[in-house]
Amino acid sequence: MSFLAGEYDVLIIGAGHSGCEAALAAARLGCRTLIATINLENIALMPCNPAVGGPAKGHLVREIDALGGEMGKNIDKAYLQIRLLNTGKGPAVHALRAQADKKLYQAEMRRVLEQQESLTLRQTSIDEILVEDGRVAGVRNKSGLIFKTKAVIITTGTYLEGRIIIGDVHYSGGPNGQLAARGLSESLRRLGIELGRFKTGTPPRVDRQTVDFDKTIIQPGDAEPKFFSFSTAAAAVEQLPCWLTYTNEATHRIIRSNLHRAPLYTGEIKGVGPRYCPSIEDKVVRFAEKPSHQIFLEPEGRNLDEMYVSGLATSLPEDVQVEMLRTIPGLEKAEMLRPGYAIEYDYVIPTQLKPSLEMKRIRGLFAAGQVNGTSGYEEAAGQGIMAGINAARYVQGKEPFILDRSDAYIGVLIDDLVTKGTNEPYRLMTARAEYRLMLRQDNADARLTEKGYQIGLVTEPDYQRFLRKQAAIAAELQRLAETTLSPGEKVQAVLEKYGSAPFNTGITLLSLLRRPEIDYAAVQEITAAAGLTGSPMYDVGEEVAVRVKYAGYIDKQTVQIEKYRRMENKLLPEDIDYATMRGLSSEAKQKLEKIRPISVGQATRISGVSPADISVLLIQLEQRRHGKPA
Ligand SMILES: Cc1cc2nc3c(=O)[nH]c(=O)nc-3n(C[C@H](O)[C@H](O)[C@H](O)COP(=O)(O)OP(=O)(O)OC[C@H]3O[C@@H](n4cnc5c(N)ncnc54)[C@H](O)[C@@H]3O)c2cc1C
């Protein structure tokens, strides 16, 4: 007789970046929640780069924060350096990136989990999902204990049948010397869930004390850093730099002469790796014409001597790794603290999921994170918060909460996964979004906080702060539109300073801000020069400036979004029998049966479903609406 170890509403398998967000969301929405993980010491572990954010990833973190999630707040408490990237480009691709103090990040996240009401932490390895009548009923751990629950969220990352590969050495294991999760994959397969095999890799770590920084180029953080969370007012710390160096011909020669020992080329590695995070051996082979590749030395912690050698991910034998490290300027005498390695792991084919991240074939079973075929802490956390919200809503009998491609990068990410699937670890990029001018990192709150508040996840203080900011933006836009300046000497002098043409008749501040050479700071200077009051509201300046300067593009994209939403709102009934639907191509029948899209809009994004098939669908829907037989 198995021992019943507890009863919960929602049970999360895994305390990585997706598991933490999922657990906090479910508990904050009032569910009795258990988060089970192989090792409590490794909550929110960053097994790869000690960084959060970057293009598209920074947008995700802001969206998670705007919805009431934790990652943004957590990195603002544990950053070593913050930079705003792509400032030379348009606002759609401006992206925050922070170097993280890995240990502090984990400690802060663990503290938040431990202090969260209705949330219980448990160190245990889950081996089996228990299902009754097509619905989740519980899980069994490695010792045979039963945990009853109404919903389960699988967030097992890179651990399912994890296999570590370094040269010709390979063994069962998870990241950073941890145990792999063995057994759960079998249970999922028995439930009819299809799994695939992916691979990812990480670079060696070196001892800071043995690096000659004089031979590298310092990369400091921003003097006045911005923060990820909309609730972070100030979090100034002494920032630590990163350091830039390069591989060279000597490095590449060592790699080329050892490709016969590289598991990537000997066939030892079977899993598919991330195209956008290639190993160094892959870069040397694929970009043979390049004489050098950038290497960033990134600190892993304020009180750690470990440095991450970004750009040198590898699974070459350890002796080769040491040799190649020693050819890189600054690392001639470097001591390798940890070797780079590759890890292969099982993942869930994501087209088996609904847009709510619930499995199509088992009610109450959800999946989020790297186990869905993505790569990246931020991609994982974005899925985690959505799975947590939807598991809670499932338990509470509420409609799923879905974000579409015009709402958020989270919507783009999940829609890509469940509608198109992925043949390699999926990494989010701004280019994947159709409406990226609307999905900026600076307006994530304007897009999502109201939704997060309506579903009960955004706290009252955060909501009130948001309302005050929106009111400030509206007031500032009104002030700019209603303030007309006359051509005074001091004002003209400021315009001249910014290389902007003088004006002869009255002009509004808004019109001035539309000028490309005039930014928000200049408008504040002009206001002062005109002897006008009107307190500068720098914390809304970015948003105000973007709304004014990109008004035309924003209007155009708003029209496109309305057109997109019309197709998204054409919902497809769950009981449609595509196999017998006349007029559809056989490929479309097969694909529509497999994906079972929730809307005509989603159907248009399934590869193999043609515009002709969509017309058939639309006619069928119309006939159904008029009660005519299909
Ligand atoms: C070697 C390596 C290199 C990487 N390189 C990159 C990169 O270059 N770029 C990038 O963006 N991302 C990279 N990543 C990926 C990044 O680490 C992940 O995307 C991210 O950690 C995924 O978060 P997650 O929550 O899905 O899973 P994870 O962070 O992997 O967490 C999974 C959690 O599940 C727990 N768990 C697993 N199975 C069980 C079980 N049966 N029972 C109980 N608990 C269980 C584990 O203990 C862990 O807490 C790399 C990861 C690794 C390991």
Side-chain angles (χ1 to χ4, degrees), residues 13-19 36-39 42-43 45-49 57 124-127 155-160 175 178 181-182 184 200-202 277 308 341-343 368-371 374-380 427:
I13 307 178
H17 304 279
S18 53
T37 191
I38 293 173
N39 184 344
N42 284 311
I43 288 173
L45 173 74
M46 292 177 162
C48 193
N49 54 340
K57 291 168 177 274
T124 185
S125 184
I126 303 298
D127 268 17
T155 70
T156 50
T158 55
Y159 291 73
L160 287 187
Q178 288 190 87
R182 313 211 60 192
L184 190 54
T200 188
T202 197
C277 256
Y308 176 88
Y341 63 89
I343 182 166
Q370 185 114 0
V371 74
T374 58
S375 180
Y377 312 135
E378 306 81 356
E379 286 86 342
R427 184 186 167 139

Side-chain angles (χ1 to χ4, degrees), residues 332-476:
E332 293 83 353
K333 297 197 177 58
E335 280 304 325
M336 185 165 81
L337 292 178
R338 296 175 205 250
Y341 63 89
I343 182 166
E344 278 184 342
Y345 55 95
D346 290 346
Y347 74 100
V348 168
I349 310 286
T351 49
Q352 300 171 98
L353 300 166
K354 301 175 187 169
S356 63
L357 295 181
E358 185 186 16
M359 293 280 175
K360 288 172 188 163
R361 56 182 309 124
I362 299 169
R363 296 299 328 263
L365 184 59
F366 296 77
Q370 185 114 0
V371 74
N372 285 348
T374 58
S375 180
Y377 312 135
E378 306 81 356
E379 286 86 342
Q383 293 167 68
I385 191 170
M386 294 303 284
I389 291 169
N390 283 316
R393 295 178 72 81
Y394 164 79
V395 168
Q396 294 158 356
K398 293 177 180 161
E399 284 300 305
F401 174 68
I402 311 286
L403 293 172
D404 70 28
R405 302 180 74 90
S406 64
D407 292 324
Y409 274 99
I410 293 174
V412 172
L413 164 65
I414 293 177
D415 182 63
D416 280 351
L417 290 175
V418 303
T419 306
K420 303 173 187 167
T422 182
N423 302 326
E424 58 183 69
Y426 173 105
R427 184 186 167 139
L428 190 66
M429 294 171 286
T430 54
R432 293 190 194 274
E434 300 85 345
Y435 315 112
R436 59 183 188 171
L437 182 59
M438 308 303 272
L439 303 184
R440 305 182 311 277
Q441 66 159 27
D442 64 79
N443 73 350
D445 54 349
R447 293 182 278 121
L448 300 173
T449 298
E450 184 64 46
K451 292 178 193 285
Y453 182 72
Q454 294 307 330
I455 61 168
L457 201 50
V458 169
T459 63
E460 194 60 39
D462 282 349
Y463 185 58
Q464 291 308 323
R465 184 180 308 105
F466 161 72
L467 291 179
R468 284 197 298 277
K469 180 181 168 192
Q470 299 313 305
I473 291 171
E476 184 61 356

Side-chain angles (χ1 to χ4, degrees), residues 467-496:
L467 291 179
R468 284 197 298 277
K469 180 181 168 192
Q470 299 313 305
I473 291 171
E476 184 61 356
L477 285 168
Q478 192 177 356
R479 179 183 79 90
L480 297 178
E482 291 172 357
T483 307
T484 302
L485 299 178
S486 39
E489 213 180 295
K490 286 190 185 153
V491 170
Q492 305 286 27
V494 178
L495 289 177
E496 197 181 335

Side-chain angles (χ1 to χ4, degrees), residues 576-590 592 609-610 612-617 620:
I576 280 192
D577 180 4
Y578 295 108
T580 58
M581 192 179 280
R582 271 170 306 157
L584 281 182
S585 67
S586 52
E587 184 182 6
K589 285 180 181 171
Q590 192 222 344
L592 289 166
V609 176
S610 69
D613 297 312
I614 295 298
S615 315
V616 170
L617 271 185
Q620 295 278 347

